[in-house]
Amino acid sequence: MAGIIPIDIVSHTSLIIVYASTLILLTIGLNMIYSVLKFSNFAHAEFITFGMFTSWWLLQILTFALPWDSSMYLINNLIIQALFAFVMVGILGIASEVLVFGRLKRLAANPRSFTVASIGIGLVIRNFLAMIFGNFPKPNRGGTSIAALPFDIDIGIKQTLIRNDPFFGNQGIFITSFEVIIILMSIGTVFTVDYMFRKTKLGIAMRATSDSVELAQVSGINTRKVVFYTWFLAAGITGFGAALLRANQPRFSTLDGFMMLLPIFAVVILGGVGSFRGGIISAFIIAGVRQLTVIIFTQFQSPGGLEYMIEDFFYRITGIEGLVITFAPGYADGVGFLVLIFVLLFRPQGISGTVEATRERV
Amino acid sequence: MSQTVLRGEKIYSGYGKLQVINGIDIHIDEGELVTIIGPNGSGKSTLIRTMIGLVNLFDGHVFIRDKEVSRMKPHEIIEAGIPLGYVPQLSNVFPSLTIEENLKMGLFVKKWDDYYQERTHEMFKLFPILEERIKQKASLLSGGERQMLALARALMPSPEVLILDEPTAALAPNLAEDMLQLIVSLKKELKISILLVEQRAKRSMELSDRGYVLVTGEIAAEGPANELLAEDKIKKLYLGVRDRK
């Protein structure tokens, strides 16, 4: 029985939390690279894709390499896959620095060259993966593409909280085990990285290198090492997040990372480039607006909704059937960007700019 | 007899294939304030940046105390425990770091916790304003305060030689004089050797023990500061003193 409130608020809220957590987890690496190396790494999208592929790749290899593991504990262990993706994507990050970005730096290339080069690296990675594995990889004979948790307990939250209430109708929460892990890892990683940046010697060295490479060097910092650490951690965290994201999807493709790129950039820009705390707030704003749009657009598309009213209106005026403005929930991402533009018109420095300026004044 | 703390022998250096410094010999003795003057583009900053490993050394040798540091990278010099402090002309503080973090950067290769309290106590005696604003970001400091922080950061590891690249460049005239006086008092109080590159040639030479005049990457004149100040040619060409005829 539907209540006065026609939507499942709890369910939508849980979707916002899951989507925001995914964005936060995948944004950390991009933010780190921008904070320390001062350029927008568009290859970040393909770092995500590469992380998905390497975690899947390990699963396929272990299926053949460990035939004695009948319980599949080692073969299909999400944490092992995610750690493997961390290392592999971390190495990819270092490789891109050694082969491309480091050379550009030595040639004193301008920031635009770095950005264009990162787009090029992304295309190379994406096409290389498609060449080897195909755009939509399928499990090898005897293998599996479904990730599993290293424990038997279902930590997912699937609970109907309110049923057939005259006011609230049906309210329930549905979060899978993988999504619980994404939420926990996202919270854990963002606070760990934020703490590392603010309090540890490595983090302060990263910020110092970002401010002035020469001054950092004369202070005793091996800035080359710092840059490598930054790439490894930033790319590694992205790979780790990508492995978790893949585990929660029935299938994945070489375009998955690219599809995530725009929302990720939106989170970074809205939150204030280089700010992890701002990123948390903006991820929830982007996820919230997206979900709200899905709810509204779904209502518009329901019988008697705005979409039908518009179609009817046009029909009455023109006499032509089928003239309609569609409110497909798939457009929700676009609305998130409208919010981004609106906020930037008033706060070009993003959310964290405001927060930090206020903190300085206090 | 005072010992040499910083010495460069037949230094040839530059950027890429461009040679800027052409065979310079330079030394700074214990407790000396030595100033390098010269017209713009003469290679003053390039020379000191070469000596601390920031610019390619094509040929020659650099020694700090008796340790050869030629071709060592800046972080290797500091990691080797060589007592050197350097304040660049531009970007002399870390703007996104707090004053506390900037000071800690001066002790980067040491264990912060062991030395920080003792060294900051000494720095706060020299620069009290830094203690008041310890938790603020360096980007919020005024030009003069930034220079103080830059000096404090360079002095944190108790260097025996301090290299300053145009420390008065971004300061108003009254603050510039204060800064030069501060440098003299640092030399006396901390008993350190200071190598100063300065555009305020006459005033800085007046306060120095010795000086070098650099022209197109070569030493045009050198000697005790009072003798350089007395030479007519140097007065006219490099110290901005005009004939009053």
Side-chain angles (χ1 to χ4, degrees):
Chain A
M1 184 182 79
I4 293 170
I5 294 178
I7 51 170
D8 186 344
I9 296 170
V10 178
S11 166
H12 285 294
T13 306
S14 62
L15 285 172
I16 290 170
I17 294 169
V18 170
Y19 188 58
S21 301
T22 309
L23 287 176
I24 291 167
L25 194 54
L26 296 176
T27 302
I28 295 168
L30 189 65
N31 240 335
M32 277 181 79
I33 294 296
Y34 194 91
S35 297
V36 181
L37 306 175
K38 297 272 186 258
F39 76 94
S40 301
N41 176 30
F42 279 82
H44 188 80
E46 277 66 33
F47 284 7
I48 295 170
T49 311
F50 192 70
M52 289 176 147
F53 272 75
T54 46
S55 66
W56 172 84
W57 186 41
L58 181 74
L59 174 61
Q60 306 309 311
I61 289 172
L62 291 184
T63 305
F64 293 98
L66 305 176
W68 45 266
D69 185 20
S70 55
S71 66
M72 304 274 279
Y73 183 78
L74 291 175
I75 291 172
N76 198 356
N77 183 323
L78 178 62
I79 301 303
I80 292 176
Q81 288 167 24
L83 288 173
F84 182 72
F86 182 102
V87 174
M88 293 302 286
V89 183
I91 292 170
L92 179 69
I94 290 178
S96 58
E97 166 65 20
V98 172
L99 298 173
V100 182
F101 297 119
R103 286 164 191 250
L104 285 175
K105 214 175 297 162
R106 281 195 290 282
L107 294 169
N110 62 40
R112 282 188 299 279
S113 304
F114 282 81
T115 302
V116 172
S118 74
I119 295 170
I121 291 172
L123 286 171
V124 169
I125 295 169
R126 193 195 310 167
N127 287 294
F128 175 77
L129 290 172
M131 273 168 62
I132 306 292
F133 302 107
N135 276 320
F136 297 92
K138 293 179 180 64
N140 294 324
R141 195 154 38 107
T144 176
S145 63
I146 301 162
L149 293 168
F151 39 79
D152 287 335
I153 311 159
D154 184 0
I155 56 168
I157 306 166
K158 295 146 198 160
Q159 189 73 47
T160 302
L161 301 174
I162 300 168
R163 196 190 298 272
N164 295 332
D165 184 87
F167 185 75
F168 288 107
N170 294 320
Q171 302 284 330
I173 189 165
F174 187 84
I175 300 177
T176 67
S177 295
F178 296 121
E179 287 167 349
V180 169
I181 290 179
I182 288 174
I183 293 167
L184 293 176
M185 287 309 301
S186 152
I187 294 166
T189 312
V190 77
F191 282 105
T192 305
V193 172
D194 186 54
Y195 178 84
M196 183 203 76
F197 255 71
R198 286 185 299 110
K199 298 287 181 190
T200 67
K201 215 166 180 176
L202 175 62
I204 295 173
M206 283 175 172
R207 284 158 54 209
T209 302
S210 163
D211 275 353
S212 166
V213 172
E214 279 197 358
L215 194 58
Q217 286 173 344
V218 296
S219 301
I221 297 173
N222 184 343
T223 51
R224 190 100 184 105
K225 246 188 204 174
V226 168
V227 169
F228 284 145
Y229 284 137
T230 306
W231 272 111
F232 187 72
L233 286 176
I237 291 168
T238 307
F240 193 92
L244 300 185
L245 186 65
R246 185 196 74 80
N248 197 39
Q249 296 181 177
R251 56 189 248 152
F252 64 103
S253 82
T254 47
L255 280 172
D256 278 9
F258 182 70
M259 296 307 285
M260 290 296 291
L261 187 66
L262 287 178
I264 285 171
F265 263 101
V267 169
V268 172
I269 294 166
L270 186 61
V273 178
S275 166
F276 298 105
R277 296 176 195 188
I280 298 172
I281 300 167
S282 66
F284 275 94
I285 291 174
I286 296 284
V289 169
R290 181 179 183 268
Q291 202 57 35
L292 194 63
T293 311
V294 168
I295 295 167
I296 293 169
F297 280 17
T298 307
Q299 293 296 317
F300 284 172
Q301 286 197 314
S302 62
L306 185 64
E307 196 171 302
Y308 287 87
M309 289 163 70
I310 291 171
E311 188 178 7
D312 187 51
F313 175 75
F314 282 139
Y315 178 71
R316 281 167 192 263
I317 293 173
T318 64
I320 303 168
E321 278 188 39
L323 283 178
V324 66
I325 297 171
T326 53
F327 291 93
Y331 298 138
D333 282 327
V335 179
F337 280 93
L338 275 180
V339 172
L340 167 72
I341 293 163
F342 183 75
V343 172
L344 291 182
L345 284 175
F346 295 95
R347 297 283 173 205
Q349 71 275 41
I351 293 167
S352 78
T354 315
V355 172
E356 289 191 356
T358 310
R359 197 188 310 144
E360 302 299 353
R361 282 199 294 273
V362 171
Chain B
M1 192 182 118
S2 60
Q3 286 189 328
T4 299
V5 288
L6 178 65
R7 187 168 90 248
E9 292 176 357
K10 298 273 176 293
I11 295 178
Y12 292 85
S13 71
Y15 305 93
K17 289 179 180 173
L18 177 69
Q19 187 167 298
V20 178
I21 301 298
N22 306 304
I24 283 180
D25 288 307
I26 184 172
H27 73 276
I28 296 101
D29 291 339
E30 239 173 28
E32 267 193 323
L33 171 55
V34 175
T35 298
I36 304 174
I37 61 167
N40 283 335
S42 59
K44 303 184 295 293
S45 295
T46 305
L47 175 62
I48 58 170
R49 284 160 55 80
T50 304
M51 295 178 85
I52 58 169
L54 283 170
V55 173
N56 279 343
L57 180 68
F58 299 156
D59 200 7
H61 302 275
V62 180
F63 299 88
I64 298 177
R65 286 287 182 196
D66 291 329
K67 170 92 175 166
E68 177 154 14
V69 297
S70 317
R71 292 176 190 81
M72 279 172 83
K73 290 178 180 150
H75 72 88
E76 290 171 340
I77 295 174
I78 304 298
E79 278 171 1
I82 291 165
L84 174 76
Y86 170 64
V87 178
Q89 181 187 352
L90 303 167
S91 304
N92 53 13
V93 297
F94 298 104
S96 77
L97 269 56
T98 63
I99 290 168
E100 183 179 23
E101 288 166 340
N102 266 278
L103 293 174
K104 281 184 173 176
M105 290 308 297
L107 297 171
F108 187 79
V109 295
K110 298 187 176 185
K111 284 188 178 170
W112 285 347
D113 298 337
D114 294 354
Y115 295 91
Y116 181 72
Q117 292 300 338
E118 177 200 327
R119 293 303 299 149
T120 42
H121 186 66
E122 195 165 336
M123 289 308 115
F124 292 155
K125 276 198 279 182
L126 289 167
F127 313 105
I129 186 76
L130 298 181
E131 187 171 17
E132 293 167 24
R133 309 181 69 175
I134 190 76
K135 295 291 179 191
Q136 280 191 359
K137 282 193 177 174
S139 57
L140 298 173
L141 297 179
S142 68
E145 289 166 345
R146 273 189 186 215
Q147 283 294 1
M148 286 182 202
L149 177 59
L151 278 172
R153 181 197 52 74
L155 290 170
M156 280 294 275
S158 311
E160 290 180 23
V161 58
L162 184 63
I163 300 176
L164 307 173
D165 193 355
E166 300 198 22
T168 66
L171 301 180
N174 57 333
L175 290 177
E177 176 60 24
D178 291 348
M179 178 55 67
L180 289 173
Q181 291 296 343
L182 176 66
I183 291 165
V184 174
S185 70
L186 285 177
K187 186 199 97 166
K188 286 179 186 158
E189 283 178 34
L190 304 177
K191 296 183 174 50
I192 56 173
S193 313
I194 299 176
L195 177 59
L196 175 67
V197 165
E198 190 47 59
Q199 284 287 2
R200 293 167 200 274
K202 183 169 178 288
R203 186 66 189 127
S204 58
M205 203 57 93
E206 283 168 356
L207 298 169
S208 300
D209 299 306
R210 280 193 309 116
Y212 290 88
V213 181
L214 217 66
V215 181
T216 58
E218 291 174 10
I219 304 259
E222 64 174 288
N226 53 1
E227 288 179 17
L228 292 175
L229 283 166
E231 274 191 41
D232 283 345
K233 188 181 161 193
I234 292 172
K235 275 202 296 198
K236 278 183 201 165
L237 290 176
Y238 308 116
L239 299 177
V241 180
R242 291 177 187 163
D243 284 336
R244 296 178 186 229
K245 287 179 184 173

